[in-house]
Amino acid sequence: DWSSDVCSSDLAVLYGPDLMPASAGKRLSQWVGVNPELKTELQGNGWRKGKKMLTPLQVRTIVQYLGEP
């Protein structure tokens, strides 16, 4: 249920539970960076690199492209 803001590092850890939070965050940023459609859609929703909090819409967009963590 992605109905409230989520800390980007918390989401990153869900996608990389085997990684330390900083490494998980870097990996999630890399995934966004290599997917131009995802990056463009996120930017249209107010996302920018380094943003600490993600809106529910931004989280749903990431999940749409990457699948459920």
Side-chain angles (χ1 to χ4, degrees):
D1 172 30
W2 307 107
S3 60
S4 60
D5 288 359
V6 174
C7 181
S8 58
S9 62
D10 290 344
L11 182 64
V13 168
L14 291 175
Y15 278 105
D18 56 322
L19 301 173
M20 296 296 292
S23 296
K26 287 178 185 176
R27 184 166 75 177
L28 183 58
S29 290
Q30 289 172 338
W31 288 349
V32 170
V34 298
N35 190 324
E37 294 168 350
L38 171 56
K39 186 174 182 178
T40 298
E41 192 167 339
L42 284 172
Q43 288 172 331
N45 294 329
W47 174 88
R48 68 186 189 297
K49 187 174 181 177
K51 188 172 180 181
K52 300 295 182 201
M53 295 301 292
L54 300 170
T55 67
L57 178 58
Q58 292 164 346
V59 174
R60 285 192 301 270
T61 301
I62 291 169
V63 171
Q64 175 187 339
Y65 280 86
L66 301 181
E68 284 287 336

